[in-house]
Amino acid sequence: MQIEPILLTHKRHNYLPMAFLWRGISHQVARIERVWSREARWARPPRHYFRVRCTNNQVYNIFQDVRLNAWCVER
């Protein structure tokens, strides 16, 4: 599993990811297919996950590190 930082460029309701920038390419979210959370344990921070399908028909798992308010893509 590879984790890379992304820049969330547009949110719906000030939270749901609607567009993000990854590797210099803008990705528009067509729909959110799944949402789940992972609780904090020991040195592992809590995360909110989103499985998104973008307008290019690619599916990505992106998450928010709750402690840092940082967004990443998980491949």
Side-chain angles (χ1 to χ4, degrees):
M1 171 176 50
Q2 185 179 13
I3 296 173
E4 295 182 43
I6 61 173
L7 176 63
L8 201 62
T9 57
H10 185 68
K11 299 182 226 178
R12 183 173 182 196
H13 303 298
N14 204 31
Y15 182 69
L16 298 172
M18 296 308 298
F20 60 95
L21 186 66
W22 177 47
R23 295 182 177 175
I25 299 170
S26 180
H27 299 272
Q28 302 297 317
V29 175
R31 72 174 177 258
I32 298 172
E33 296 188 341
R34 183 175 174 217
V35 178
W36 71 100
S37 294
R38 185 188 78 185
E39 294 182 15
R41 290 193 181 152
W42 296 92
R44 196 174 77 177
R47 293 179 178 172
H48 296 301
Y49 283 87
F50 301 86
R51 178 167 296 140
V52 299
R53 182 172 300 274
C54 292
T55 54
N56 64 0
N57 209 34
Q58 295 293 313
V59 176
Y60 302 97
N61 286 334
I62 63 175
F63 67 85
Q64 178 192 30
D65 180 312
V66 175
R67 287 188 188 151
L68 299 176
N69 192 29
W71 288 83
C72 297
V73 64
E74 190 175 80
R75 302 279 298 165

